[in-house]
Amino acid sequence: MTAILLLTASMAKAHDLASPQAEAGQANLDEQDGFLILQTNLHPPYQELQNGILSGYSVSILNCVFDRLDIGYGLAIAPRQRNREMVRTGKADGFFLARISDAMDEYAVASNPLALEKWVWVSPAIKSDDPRVSRRPKPGDFSTVGAILGSNEAEWLLEQGYTDVMRVPSIASLVGQVAAGRVEYALVDKHSFEFARKELQLTADKFRMQFERYVPLVVYFSKRYVAKFPDRLEELNKVLEFCETRPMHLEPWEREAIEQVQLPIIRQFARSPELLVRIQSVLDKAESPSEEKKRLKDVVWAEMARKGKKSKTANKILENELSEYLRMFEATIGEQIAEAFIFDTHGQIIGMSRLTSDFDQSDEAQFQMIDSVNREKALITDIWYDASTRAFLSQITVPIIDPDSGQTLAALTVGLNVSAALRPES
């Protein structure tokens, strides 16, 4: 069983953990093979104290991961900057949650993401006809910009050239500063902002929000720990996909943006004569599969894909002209698309830009697009992390119709990389 040790001071001073405690604990626990100490900070609702116990979304994921791996680990709470320094100097084995950064990459190795933050600019509410309503702060424009001291957002602002940032100790105090009008713009995670706003009993109409970007958050493991246990990170990443269960719902404006910008491009591609010719060529050569044969292919495919390998069926499909054409389409669109694949009316993959996690799509939600009643529709899923592409995706599926017969030939699924596709500049 996974052993969990919470190294913390009293609840009132949990963010000021005395470093000798953590360092002494680390020295003793190093004797246990594989036991590791992870540093973190309080960041509701991802990491929060409840009755003196550290809990939250990221903690529950790590509990799941290390329980599956049967590895003991301890958690120590300290300010973020102190946490990073302990990882850098080898006094801790890892730190979470952190954005991927060049500075951390110098002395630590990132896991696959545990969460996806949605960063927003929060400012005091103004009237909808105010000319400032769509304005965003820019470096050097004399706006009062705020962020949490030592936070991912504060680091990013500095990298972007925001030199005069007001740094406050907590999300609650930052939200309070915005509500009081002392901070014009605060860059925060939307989920954390909503949590703090409700805790402060402030109504949403006191603020306005403007989306800035999506930011994946990871666990950073020290290079010292990775060198000592070279297979550990790979094992963790494999297990991680089974412990992430909460998708991020698309907001109405995000769904509308996808429908207006990306969906027309995908529909046009699905109707292109060049694509239809290649699909028909594959279908003409295909055999009508038995359910048992399809199941066996799917089992082998999925098992090998989890190991980063390709089955014979997968290799054959990746080498056909349809898959090559999908790769050309993906390259044309650029970083906004992480994958594209086509499955037939039996649910079998017949073309893909890259290896998918499984062969049979008949048990997936997108298979409903094969039904003729959905020929004018599109299925757009919520956001979730896809381990095979290492990106947060919203999958868009449209039917592929034979223009002559009106029959549904197959369906096209495109994995939209939301971090790239839904940036304001996109």
Side-chain angles (χ1 to χ4, degrees):
M1 294 295 294
T2 302
I4 300 177
L5 172 66
L6 178 61
L7 300 174
T8 182
S10 66
M11 190 169 181
K13 296 183 178 180
H15 62 286
D16 291 323
L17 177 70
S19 58
Q21 281 183 281
E23 291 166 23
Q26 174 68 19
N28 294 333
L29 294 168
D30 268 344
E31 298 174 5
Q32 300 183 36
D33 185 39
F35 194 101
L36 70 158
I37 291 291
L38 295 180
Q39 296 289 131
T40 192
N41 62 296
L42 296 181
H43 180 39
Y46 301 95
Q47 297 102 238
E48 56 183 317
L49 278 176
Q50 293 185 341
N51 299 321
I53 302 298
L54 189 63
S55 61
Y57 176 63
S58 59
V59 176
S60 66
I61 291 177
L62 289 174
N63 285 344
C64 170
V65 167
F66 289 113
D67 190 54
R68 282 175 174 265
L69 294 176
D70 195 24
I71 296 170
Y73 77 107
L75 300 179
I77 301 173
R80 288 177 55 87
Q81 291 170 321
R82 172 66 177 163
N83 290 336
R84 289 193 293 271
E85 182 64 14
M86 290 185 69
V87 173
R88 189 186 69 81
T89 57
K91 294 175 181 176
D93 299 311
F95 163 58
F96 71 97
L97 289 168
R99 70 187 180 98
I100 297 172
S101 70
D102 292 340
M104 289 286 288
D105 287 340
E106 291 180 4
Y107 54 86
V109 183
S111 70
N112 285 349
L114 271 71
L116 182 68
E117 284 194 325
K118 183 185 294 185
W119 287 4
V120 293
W121 291 105
V122 176
S123 52
I126 57 177
K127 294 181 179 179
S128 59
D129 59 353
D130 191 303
R132 297 172 297 165
V133 73
S134 60
R135 178 181 171 275
R136 296 167 181 274
K138 295 182 179 179
D141 70 358
F142 303 107
S143 298
T144 306
V145 174
I148 301 169
L149 178 67
S151 66
N152 288 308
E153 295 91 327
E155 291 175 357
W156 183 83
L157 286 169
L158 186 62
E159 291 172 4
Q160 301 305 308
Y162 294 84
T163 54
D164 191 20
V165 177
M166 182 182 292
R167 296 171 175 84
V168 296
S170 69
I171 181 67
S173 59
L174 181 58
V175 173
Q177 295 275 9
V178 174
R182 288 190 283 271
V183 171
E184 291 179 78
Y185 296 92
L187 186 63
V188 294
D189 166 53
K190 184 184 178 186
H191 202 35
S192 299
F193 164 72
E194 294 289 1
F195 186 89
R197 178 184 66 76
K198 292 173 183 176
E199 286 284 305
L200 294 169
Q201 298 183 339
L202 296 170
T203 57
D205 59 6
K206 292 185 179 294
F207 305 91
R208 66 187 175 107
M209 284 190 291
Q210 294 171 282
F211 173 71
E212 173 56 42
R213 62 185 51 241
Y214 285 106
V215 181
L217 298 183
V218 302
V219 180
Y220 262 110
F221 291 91
S222 71
K223 289 186 175 179
R224 171 179 169 272
Y225 183 83
V226 172
K228 187 175 181 181
F229 303 99
D231 299 326
R232 185 59 46 81
L233 189 56
E234 183 180 355
E235 292 169 351
L236 183 145
N237 286 334
K238 287 179 180 178
V239 170
L240 189 57
E241 64 180 295
F242 298 102
C243 293
E244 293 177 283
T245 57
R246 190 176 70 181
M248 177 180 285
H249 296 296
L250 285 171
E251 294 185 36
W253 74 263
E254 293 167 317
R255 191 172 292 275
E256 184 179 356
I258 292 172
E259 290 174 348
Q260 291 183 358
V261 180
Q262 284 85 18
L263 182 56
I265 297 171
I266 293 167
R267 284 196 187 280
Q268 183 179 8
F269 179 67
R271 294 174 182 143
S272 66
E274 295 85 355
L275 179 68
L276 290 169
V277 166
R278 287 167 173 80
I279 290 173
Q280 195 62 63
S281 175
V282 173
L283 294 177
D284 288 344
K285 299 172 187 175
E287 300 176 1
S288 182
S290 67
E291 285 300 313
E292 180 61 15
K293 190 173 182 180
K294 185 173 67 170
R295 186 190 68 81
L296 291 173
K297 282 185 178 181
D298 187 58
V299 168
V300 175
W301 179 306
E303 185 177 336
M304 294 188 71
R306 280 194 291 269
K307 299 175 182 177
K309 299 178 181 179
K310 306 178 189 73
S311 68
K312 289 182 179 179
T313 303
N315 263 322
K316 186 176 179 181
I317 293 171
L318 281 168
E319 292 169 0
N320 69 25
E321 289 188 10
L322 178 56
S323 293
E324 179 59 32
Y325 196 63
L326 290 173
R327 284 190 285 272
M328 289 173 59
F329 169 68
E330 184 179 314
T332 300
I333 302 301
E335 64 175 347
Q336 293 190 16
I337 289 181
E339 66 173 356
F341 60 87
I342 292 174
F343 54 92
D344 64 15
T345 55
H346 301 287
Q348 301 175 119
I349 297 284
I350 59 173
M352 54 187 173
S353 63
R354 64 186 65 210
L355 182 66
T356 60
S357 57
D358 52 6
F359 169 66
D360 182 15
Q361 304 297 304
S362 62
D363 59 347
E364 303 288 346
Q366 60 259 30
F367 186 66
Q368 65 183 278
M369 302 313 295
I370 290 295
D371 196 317
S372 60
V373 301
N374 289 322
R375 66 180 54 208
E376 300 301 325
K377 298 179 182 178
L379 179 66
I380 302 174
T381 68
D382 284 324
I383 302 166
W384 54 282
Y385 182 73
D386 177 50
S388 65
T389 61
R390 295 193 171 187
F392 284 90
L393 306 182
S394 170
Q395 287 191 330
I396 306 169
T397 303
V398 297
I400 298 173
I401 311 297
D402 184 338
D404 297 325
S405 67
Q407 291 184 326
T408 302
L409 296 176
L412 165 68
T413 294
V414 172
L416 191 70
N417 182 346
V418 295
S419 298
L422 294 178
R423 287 197 300 255
E425 62 267 28
S426 299

